[in-house]
Amino acid sequence: MAGNKSYTIVEYFGGDDGYRCGYCKNQTGNFSHGMWTHTMTVQDYQDLIDRGWRRSGKYVYKPIMNKTCCPQYTIRCHALKFQPSKSHKKILKKMSKFISKGELPKGQEDGEPMESVCEDAGPREHGKICHSDLKCAVVTDLQKEAAECLTITDAQKKDEADAAPTGSETSRKDPVCVPDGRTTAAAPKPGTGADASRPPCRKAKDLRKERRLQKEQTRQLADGASPIVSPTPTTPTQTNQPKPLEDFMTKSLPENSSHGLEVRLVPVSFEDPQFTASYEQSAALYACYQMSVHGDDPSECSESEFRRFLCDSPLEAEYSPDGPEVGYGSFHQQYWLDGRIVAVGVIDILPTCVSSVYLYYHPDFASLSLGSYSALREILFTRQLQKQSPKLSYYYLGFYIHSCPKMRYKGQYRPSDLLCPETFAWVPIERCLPQLENSRYARFNQDPDAGDSRLLKDIALVLVLYRRTVMPYGVYARKRKGSSDEAEVQQYAGLVGQDCAERILLYRA
């Protein structure tokens, strides 16, 4: 290949076979198209995720939405317009209280899964076709550290179980599970209701202001002065503007705080000294998390599996004059508590977004709601990057799966959009939810005449890498004299769209 131009090189696998679903556990109901990526530019990946693709290591997959058991809709949050909800503020205050006073709450309150991409998103056997020349580093004490972690966690769980209330003592405010996966509040106690003859309740601070004003007026009348006139109270909308996320996240802590928390952004590269220095500790934390939280066998969360899943990335590090200072590519956001890593958020920084890939954490800190806390940190990070690169303004949370109740929490980060699976237009989630209540699969674009505007109609324009030479598919087909892979290439072109098909090199042996 001539020149120094960066290419994306992929091998397309199709999507005919069903495999196990990581959400509903259907053994053969999950269907997706897949590609192995040898290398990929950040712009190509940005275009692919805007057409419903997603990566797991170097494997890139796209659910077959009208066929798979649990349709997975790409979701993005408008980071600049995001306002934390009450539950988000509660989580931030909980973390602040823990850092300042050392008080670790009991139990996990939000019940959210802690990853943005399910590990069973694609068939694991595709990992065998990796052609990486890198040798896996040996982590000799990985299993030892993970076992120690589990011993501590199991002991802590036993202590919590011994101290937990019995079923009859459970709070009546807890939601009650119903068969269709929704939650409904427990029935309230019977009562007579509000007394209509009594005035409505008023805020305590308003009552205090009124009493102070009355005292001042009484004093001035006693002194012979003219009483002051009560000003017209302003409405809350005139004075109480909502606080931005920054105010909650950057709240100053006392100098004598019990703990110190530092978030470090580390490029995923074995040439980076920070990454290599923390690699062994990070791999041990991953094994501890997978075994404790997901119940994995030690062989399923080995160092090589950790490397394949969360360290091997097809994205090449890139820098642009109008891009963020840290550049584009794959990164680990490491959460260091008192000198050790307690959580790691895996993210991709792309031309218009920060894309969340996965989060793993120490089980001892599950009660801090680290899934929600890390998402809020990543939204704040996106806002900071946008100041350096104006077009980088979205936070992608992976897939929204309405048919899986535990994955609906991603819809709480508003305002957000879902990607229409047929036209690839972004639609506000509020307009999508009523459709998803009626059907697992839905077309969100309400225009019946709208279609895929970026569909490549002439597959002769698809770029092919054949015998180390780049050529259009039309030339390749003539060289192969009527190659039988035309249907496969046609399907591939429709899935990646015109922009990617004319830039990405489709590998043909």
Side-chain angles (χ1 to χ4, degrees), residues 441-458:
Y441 173 76
R443 170 193 166 107
F444 300 137
N445 193 326
Q446 297 300 304
D447 182 358
D449 298 324
D452 179 4
S453 62
R454 303 307 299 164
L455 180 65
L456 181 67
K457 298 180 176 62
D458 184 2

Side-chain angles (χ1 to χ4, degrees), residues 45-205:
Y45 186 50
Q46 177 72 71
D47 290 342
L48 285 175
I49 63 174
D50 285 338
R51 292 183 66 86
W53 292 84
R54 195 79 183 156
R55 80 173 184 89
S56 174
K58 288 190 172 184
Y59 182 69
V60 183
Y61 61 99
K62 175 180 168 59
I64 303 177
M65 301 291 280
N66 58 356
K67 186 177 180 181
T68 192
C69 53
C70 295
Q72 303 163 50
Y73 299 90
T74 303
I75 181 172
R76 71 177 186 183
C77 171
H78 295 253
L80 302 185
K81 300 177 182 178
F82 172 78
Q83 286 291 341
S85 66
K86 273 188 176 181
S87 62
H88 295 149
K89 294 173 187 176
K90 183 179 179 182
I91 290 166
L92 294 174
K93 290 176 181 177
K94 182 167 58 175
M95 177 63 78
S96 178
K97 187 175 182 180
F98 167 69
I99 295 173
S100 61
K101 299 181 180 180
E103 298 178 11
L104 191 65
K106 296 292 183 181
Q108 184 174 326
E109 296 181 10
D110 60 3
E112 294 179 2
M114 294 301 179
E115 69 273 7
S116 296
V117 176
C118 177
E119 196 169 358
D120 292 326
R124 290 192 181 190
E125 58 267 22
H126 287 304
K128 68 185 180 184
I129 64 171
C130 175
H131 302 295
S132 172
D133 294 326
L134 296 174
K135 302 297 181 182
C136 291
V138 179
V139 184
T140 56
D141 57 348
L142 172 60
Q143 299 299 340
K144 178 182 177 183
E145 289 189 29
E148 291 174 354
C149 170
L150 283 174
T151 302
I152 296 171
T153 304
D154 290 342
Q156 187 178 53
K157 284 181 178 177
K158 183 179 183 303
D159 292 340
E160 290 177 0
D162 293 340
T166 61
S168 60
E169 296 170 337
T170 304
S171 169
R172 298 187 183 183
K173 294 181 181 179
D174 291 341
V176 178
C177 220
V178 290
D180 66 352
R182 304 175 188 174
T183 57
T184 178
K189 295 179 180 179
T192 56
D195 186 350
S197 64
R198 298 182 62 182
C201 293
R202 299 171 61 189
K203 290 185 177 180
K205 66 177 183 179

Side-chain angles (χ1 to χ4, degrees), residues 15-26:
D16 297 329
D17 298 328
Y19 50 91
R20 181 180 180 274
C21 175
Y23 303 104
C24 71
K25 311 307 179 184
N26 186 315

Side-chain angles (χ1 to χ4, degrees), residues 118-341:
C118 177
E119 196 169 358
D120 292 326
R124 290 192 181 190
E125 58 267 22
H126 287 304
K128 68 185 180 184
I129 64 171
C130 175
H131 302 295
S132 172
D133 294 326
L134 296 174
K135 302 297 181 182
C136 291
V138 179
V139 184
T140 56
D141 57 348
L142 172 60
Q143 299 299 340
K144 178 182 177 183
E145 289 189 29
E148 291 174 354
C149 170
L150 283 174
T151 302
I152 296 171
T153 304
D154 290 342
Q156 187 178 53
K157 284 181 178 177
K158 183 179 183 303
D159 292 340
E160 290 177 0
D162 293 340
T166 61
S168 60
E169 296 170 337
T170 304
S171 169
R172 298 187 183 183
K173 294 181 181 179
D174 291 341
V176 178
C177 220
V178 290
D180 66 352
R182 304 175 188 174
T183 57
T184 178
K189 295 179 180 179
T192 56
D195 186 350
S197 64
R198 298 182 62 182
C201 293
R202 299 171 61 189
K203 290 185 177 180
K205 66 177 183 179
D206 293 334
L207 293 173
R208 288 195 297 271
K209 287 180 181 179
E210 186 174 306
R211 285 197 295 268
R212 284 198 300 269
L213 185 59
Q214 289 174 347
K215 288 181 180 179
E216 183 65 19
Q217 289 175 336
T218 303
R219 184 186 63 79
Q220 292 196 11
L221 285 171
D223 294 341
S226 299
I228 58 175
V229 179
S230 174
T232 303
T234 55
T235 60
T237 55
Q238 292 174 316
T239 57
N240 297 333
Q241 294 297 326
K243 288 184 179 180
L245 178 62
E246 287 79 357
D247 286 3
F248 294 97
M249 194 71 75
T250 59
K251 182 180 179 181
S252 59
L253 297 170
E255 293 183 0
N256 59 344
S257 294
S258 298
H259 298 290
L261 179 66
E262 180 187 1
V263 182
R264 302 178 188 174
L265 183 72
V266 181
V268 180
S269 169
F270 287 94
E271 297 178 0
D272 184 86
Q274 273 191 299
F275 181 78
T276 53
S278 60
Y279 178 80
E280 187 172 326
Q281 185 182 168
S282 188
L285 178 64
Y286 167 76
C288 174
Y289 169 81
Q290 293 296 131
M291 288 187 283
S292 176
V293 176
H294 291 291
D296 282 4
D297 185 84
S299 62
E300 296 178 291
C301 47
S302 63
E303 183 271 342
S304 59
E305 184 69 10
F306 166 71
R307 183 168 183 153
R308 179 201 68 79
F309 179 40
L310 297 176
C311 298
D312 288 345
S313 170
L315 301 180
E316 299 290 337
E318 296 180 26
Y319 295 88
S320 172
D322 60 348
E325 294 177 4
V326 297
Y328 302 110
S330 297
F331 296 82
H332 283 188
Q333 272 199 329
Q334 301 174 341
Y335 294 77
W336 289 77
L337 181 71
D338 302 332
R340 65 165 176 155
I341 304 176

